[in-house]
Amino acid sequence: MSIQDETNSPVTPHEQVSPTRGWLGVAAITASLFIFLTTELMPIGLLTPLSASLGVSVGSVGLMVTAQGLAAGLGVPFIVAWTRRVNRRRLLTTLLAVLAVGNLMTSIAPNYPLILGTRLIMGFASGVFWAIGVSMAMRIVPAKHANRAAAVVMSGISIATVVGIPLGTLLESAGGWRTTFLIWAGLSALVFLAVAVTIPSLPSLPSLPSANAVSVREVFELPVRNVPLRLVLVMVVFFVLGHFGAYTFVRPYLEDSTSATVGFITVVLIVFGTGGAIGNFIGGQTVNKSLRGSFIVGGLIMIAALVMLLTIGTYDFGVIAAMILWGLAFGVVQLSQINMTLSAAPETFEAAMSLNTMAYNTCIALGALIGGLFADHVGVTSVVWFGIVLVALAVILRASTGRRTTPAI
């Protein structure tokens, strides 16, 4: 099953936008995803220097991920519903403006509480983007290319993990973490301009409104009456808790277990991202053949990678092997869960994605929070075991449910 086109408005944007203008818009939306995701996960590569500079524990610094993820998750269903009649182009540029200002504030904030508050506000913008970005891209290209546009936008995830987070780590080692966030503020402003220039404003549909306008009440009713969607959301909860509970603390884990240098950690993050790009490509082929099987096999590979990290992760080659497998598995499972969400609720695209975003980002937040508690009170190795257990629960749930899911009518 591939990602489906959700446009059902009487006047379809596909027919009115030139292909060139449409694909330029897709590129701008992809760049937006890169900026949003890198900003959200940037602290993962900067935990140790942030901890030392701000005078707080590593677990507490992990709350930077928690704050942004929590706001993104809990706020998105309300904001998407309340803005369902708002021009999507205008909404996206507003979200990018919030991101640029937030990164700037982070770079100059004098204390940790102000940084947390800033990240909380940035989280609301991040969550809304995740809910509307893919559907926007699918609507501004010719209808036959809608699935390809969605895949291009999702490649921003791989680009962020391959380039963004490792680049942030390198910039920190060269100029400090404040410089890193200052540079990202500038990149956010550039993407803001790109979106404003390239996203089309259609003559007969100038507002580019939500194609699936759904109220807040209807959004939260979806998983109540749609059993397949409800099951998918539970799987997403387990998978994201496990993955991000462990991944958030990769740097301190490697520094503790292998005395890894900044250079080696940067290589490891690049290796993980490369594996994610490969996994995204493989998943793009396998989800069409077996969506259920792709999720299960990807989850099992992730568990195996985490076990490898525990058993042979004291050696450089063991770390590299484990991280590339982990990244590959993440790419496959990530694409699978998005397709599972859309397959379960194809007629309510944005509403389903807002619920997916709520579950996903809230669990990024909770994963970082719980992982931080384990790291501070039990030891950083325990976060890897936490990841193994939660991903295993996701795999068991997917394996125990039916081979076919049918959206509720």
Side-chain angles (χ1 to χ4, degrees):
M1 175 87 190
S2 59
I3 296 175
Q4 301 179 39
D5 176 16
E6 52 81 46
T7 302
N8 58 8
S9 56
V11 182
T12 57
H14 305 286
E15 298 172 358
Q16 303 174 47
V17 182
S18 72
T20 300
R21 183 74 181 276
W23 283 110
L24 285 174
V26 169
I29 294 171
T30 305
S32 301
L33 189 150
F34 167 79
I35 293 294
F36 273 108
L37 183 60
T38 305
T39 296
E40 183 172 355
L41 301 182
M42 185 75 75
I44 291 174
L46 309 178
L47 283 185
T48 305
L50 280 165
S51 173
S53 173
L54 297 170
V56 296
S57 69
V58 168
S60 295
V61 175
L63 292 175
M64 288 179 66
V65 180
T66 299
Q68 187 159 345
L70 196 61
L74 297 182
V76 62
F78 299 96
I79 299 174
V80 168
W82 292 334
T83 61
R84 62 187 183 274
R85 305 296 181 189
V86 175
N87 180 318
R88 263 30 192 168
R89 175 192 182 194
R90 188 175 301 123
L91 180 59
L92 180 53
T93 53
T94 301
L95 300 177
L96 286 163
V98 171
L99 193 68
V101 173
N103 276 318
L104 177 61
M105 287 294 297
T106 301
S107 72
I108 62 176
N111 55 59
Y112 185 58
L114 181 57
I115 290 176
L116 277 185
T118 301
R119 298 280 294 187
L120 195 68
I121 295 171
M122 292 164 70
F124 290 116
S126 179
V128 176
F129 169 78
W130 278 99
I132 70 171
V134 174
S135 63
M136 284 181 66
M138 295 172 74
R139 298 173 66 198
I140 60 176
V141 298
K144 63 181 179 180
H145 296 313
N147 288 342
R148 185 184 301 173
V152 169
V153 171
M154 293 308 297
S155 71
I157 295 174
S158 299
I159 298 170
T161 51
V162 173
V163 178
I165 298 173
L167 179 59
T169 306
L170 280 176
L171 290 173
E172 185 281 325
S173 65
W177 63 267
R178 292 186 184 277
T179 300
T180 301
F181 282 104
L182 183 60
I183 291 172
W184 243 253
L187 291 176
S188 301
L190 287 176
V191 175
F192 166 90
L193 293 175
V195 167
V197 170
T198 62
I199 299 295
S201 182
L202 305 170
S204 60
L205 192 59
S207 64
L208 193 60
S210 169
N212 296 135
V214 176
S215 67
V216 173
R217 179 180 60 81
E218 291 174 301
V219 169
F220 286 104
E221 283 181 353
L222 275 179
V224 175
R225 51 189 173 83
N226 187 327
V227 176
L229 179 60
R230 184 164 69 243
L231 290 172
V232 169
L233 292 175
V234 174
M235 293 175 213
V236 169
V237 167
F238 287 148
F239 156 63
V240 179
L241 277 176
H243 168 74
F244 282 100
Y247 185 64
T248 300
F249 297 92
V250 161
R251 179 168 181 166
Y253 173 80
L254 294 178
E255 289 174 336
D256 183 64
S257 62
T258 66
S259 300
T261 64
V262 172
F264 182 71
I265 290 169
T266 302
V267 170
V268 165
L269 293 174
I270 293 173
V271 164
F272 175 87
T274 302
I278 296 171
N280 193 62
F281 174 79
I282 293 174
Q285 312 302 311
T286 62
V287 294
N288 292 315
K289 299 175 182 177
S290 175
L291 186 51
R292 178 173 179 265
S294 296
F295 186 92
I296 292 172
V297 173
L300 291 175
I301 293 174
M302 185 176 294
I303 293 169
L306 292 172
V307 171
M308 286 175 61
L309 200 60
L310 289 171
T311 54
I312 61 174
T314 53
Y315 305 99
D316 289 354
F317 77 88
V319 173
I320 296 296
M323 292 303 292
I324 196 167
L325 276 181
W326 189 356
L328 186 150
F330 176 73
V332 172
V333 177
Q334 168 74 5
L335 193 59
S336 298
Q337 65 87 14
I338 289 173
N339 276 272
M340 284 159 51
T341 301
L342 302 182
S343 176
E347 301 303 320
T348 49
F349 185 96
E350 280 193 1
M353 282 303 296
S354 70
L355 289 171
N356 179 287
T357 301
M358 180 179 72
Y360 199 101
N361 283 279
T362 302
C363 288
I364 289 178
L366 292 176
L369 174 62
I370 297 170
L373 293 174
F374 274 105
D376 285 347
H377 299 289
V378 182
V380 72
T381 301
S382 63
V383 300
V384 182
W385 284 110
F386 174 77
I388 291 171
V389 171
L390 270 294
V391 174
L393 288 175
V395 170
I396 291 169
L397 179 59
R398 175 70 276 194
S400 63
T401 55
R403 293 180 179 275
R404 297 178 64 87
T405 57
T406 303
I409 299 176

